[in-house]
Amino acid sequence: MSILVTGGAGFIGSNFVHTWLAGSDELLVNLDKLTYAGNLGNLQSLAQDPRHMFVHGDIADRELVQALLTQHQPRAVLHFAAESHVDRSIHGPLDFIHTNVVGTCQLLESVRAYWSGLSPDVQQSFLFLHVSTDEVYGSLKPQAPAFNETNLYEPNSPYAASKAASDHLVRAWHHTYGLPVLTTNCSNNYGPFHFPEKLIPLVLHNAMAGKPLPIYGDGMQIRDWLFVQDHCRAISRVLEAGRPGETYNIGGWNEKPNIEVVNTLCSLLDELHPRADGKSYAEQITYVKDRAGHDRRYAIDAFKISTELGWRPQETFETGLSKTVAWYLQNQCWVENVTSGGYRDWVTANYAGRA
Ligand code: NAD
Ligand code: TYD
């Protein structure tokens, strides 16, 4: 038995690979293009593990993907690979179309060809699990109920639109061809191996480097935060017991305005890694020009996955954030590795015009 994971060198994918292999002896084939966001350092502890096979390649490469499927005969494909950063999608949307839309479509076609050739009983138990985001639903008004699985899709950023398109493709491949698919839409993740372009790792990185902590606009935009390993456990549970053709929203019941998240991070750092001058890291907070089209609020109603599949997050925001800060403090080498070279060009491109 084996499974194929795409994007398993990225933030959530690599956490999933570790979480999965902690409880399974199945071969896990990990296909990743190693973009700026993919990092083999996330998988270093698995270098000698025969259960993990890393393959460097693009999900849009039909020949490669079909060869992997034929060779390893996976019982499931878990699709994490994506361009995932909203600000980058504003600067350059076409990479998002290549991977999230065209890449997902090419992957679906490779998987469909493989699945069509399976014997009927194997075909029936096969699953394609598509990992998506709450951002497809758009932005919530302050008092509106949280997103559930029946909300309309109203994506606002190029990233969200490309993920919405990929969700629609997955749905259509189920409806038209009968491919057994599952889709998950999760809220903002945080935790180990998070690339420091996203809010939480960026703030940790900048704080310790003595740099400004940039808050877009008024800092009152709300996100629902979930510890990454809770997301990984939810995905495993959906794979295990989800109903093909269904979508499951995953969230932490944990809405926070950005400024509150940043203040909490500063307090944790003040305690665990105090500044040499004894002042609080909160002094580094700097309000900067807002993101174009910035969604005001996301919130997830995770009632379906909790009642149907019995999943609930194990971490609170406090325990998850403490673990995250501790991980970043203990893994400064990882941070240094991923913030060399191209990372600096990105920081200049994104923040130079915001002061
Ligand atoms: P990430 O950017 O950290 O990692 C993406 C990975 O995909 C990288 O390893 C990259 O090298 C790989 N990749 C990119 N293009 C590829 C291609 N064409 N072929 C093969 N590999 C390719 O992203 P993440 O934060 O780990 O997100 C993983 C998935 O979860 C994405 O689909 C994202 O939309 C979704 N998601 C993310 C969050 C979040 O908070 N980060 C929340 C909900 C859903
Ligand atoms: P981010 O981590 O990029 O995730 P997403 O845009 O997918 O929700 O951003 C989280 C929130 O933090 C979002 O409202 C934008 C805001 N933000 C800042 O205020 N400053 C920053 O430097 C970054 C990267 C994000």
Side-chain angles (χ1 to χ4, degrees):
M1 297 284 252
S2 68
I3 62 168
L4 174 68
V5 166
T6 72
F11 164 48
I12 303 174
S14 62
N15 275 284
F16 179 82
V17 169
H18 289 292
T19 311
W20 180 264
L21 289 176
S24 168
D25 284 331
E26 258 176 299
L27 175 70
L28 187 157
V29 181
N30 183 351
L31 172 65
D32 196 296
K33 190 178 168 184
L34 295 180
T35 66
Y36 77 93
N39 182 4
L40 284 178
N42 301 2
L43 303 163
Q44 208 168 17
S45 61
L46 299 170
Q48 306 302 324
D49 192 324
R51 297 171 305 162
H52 179 244
M53 173 188 279
F54 182 77
V55 180
H56 184 197
D58 192 325
I59 53 167
D61 182 343
R62 292 278 296 277
E63 212 176 308
L64 170 67
V65 175
Q66 277 172 13
L68 289 174
L69 293 167
T70 307
Q71 187 186 351
H72 299 292
Q73 300 282 306
R75 68 177 176 93
V77 172
L78 291 98
H79 179 33
F80 294 82
E83 290 292 337
S84 70
H85 186 31
V86 173
D87 291 314
R88 284 191 196 249
S89 81
I90 295 167
H91 284 253
L94 288 184
D95 284 346
F96 289 71
I97 305 305
H98 168 78
T99 290
N100 302 1
V101 186
V102 180
T104 298
C105 192
Q106 297 281 25
L107 180 67
L108 282 165
E109 277 298 83
S110 301
V111 170
R112 182 167 75 90
Y114 160 70
W115 173 77
S116 304
L118 297 173
S119 64
D121 53 325
V122 184
Q123 224 179 48
Q124 230 191 350
S125 59
F126 178 84
L127 289 165
F128 180 93
L129 191 152
H130 175 58
V131 179
S132 193
T133 166
D134 60 357
E135 305 196 23
V136 298
Y137 297 121
S139 187
L140 284 168
K141 295 267 180 292
Q143 304 307 327
F147 302 126
N148 67 36
E149 290 80 358
T150 63
N151 271 69
L152 288 179
Y153 272 35
E154 294 181 334
N156 289 322
S157 70
Y159 163 65
S162 68
K163 290 297 291 187
S166 69
D167 293 9
H168 290 323
L169 292 170
V170 170
R171 177 191 154 90
W173 260 240
H174 174 69
H175 188 80
T176 304
Y177 304 112
L179 189 72
V181 304
L182 294 156
T183 297
T184 57
N185 295 88
C186 188
S187 58
N188 284 56
N189 285 214
Y190 64 95
F193 303 125
H194 205 181
F195 192 77
E197 63 184 357
K198 308 276 171 72
L199 180 69
I200 288 180
L202 181 104
V203 162
L204 292 172
H205 176 58
N206 282 15
M208 286 186 283
K211 293 183 180 159
L213 312 181
I215 307 286
Y216 294 167
D218 64 0
M220 291 307 291
Q221 303 82 5
I222 290 174
R223 298 292 181 264
D224 169 24
W225 294 96
L226 180 69
F227 190 61
V228 64
Q229 283 153 18
D230 277 323
H231 184 191
C232 296
R233 285 186 275 268
I235 289 171
S236 295
R237 184 66 191 136
V238 171
L239 186 70
E240 182 179 53
R243 286 179 289 136
E246 291 292 313
T247 68
Y248 293 89
N249 281 1
I250 305 171
W253 285 283
N254 184 44
E255 289 181 56
K256 303 272 181 211
N258 293 337
I259 188 65
E260 189 182 325
V261 172
V262 174
N263 274 318
T264 308
L265 286 169
C266 289
S267 304
L268 280 165
L269 281 177
D270 289 341
E271 194 183 310
L272 297 169
H273 188 77
R275 262 173 50 157
D277 62 6
K279 293 184 179 164
S280 170
Y281 286 98
E283 302 229 341
Q284 291 165 232
I285 289 175
T286 310
Y287 287 86
V288 300
K289 188 173 165 218
D290 207 351
R291 172 188 279 172
H294 199 168
D295 282 340
R296 199 71 188 161
R297 174 177 168 235
Y298 304 142
I300 278 279
D301 175 350
F303 183 76
K304 180 174 172 183
I305 188 172
S306 78
T307 51
E308 209 176 280
L309 305 183
W311 172 87
R312 283 196 72 83
Q314 292 180 11
E315 302 290 345
T316 63
F317 192 53
E318 290 66 33
T319 61
L321 214 54
S322 294
K323 285 184 179 177
T324 304
V325 173
W327 188 89
Y328 277 87
L329 290 173
Q330 284 156 18
N331 289 276
Q332 283 297 301
C333 283
W334 181 89
V335 178
E336 272 155 37
N337 279 338
V338 301
T339 51
S340 58
Y343 176 78
R344 295 199 190 118
D345 300 338
W346 162 250
V347 169
T348 308
N350 191 40
Y351 293 97
R354 289 187 189 271

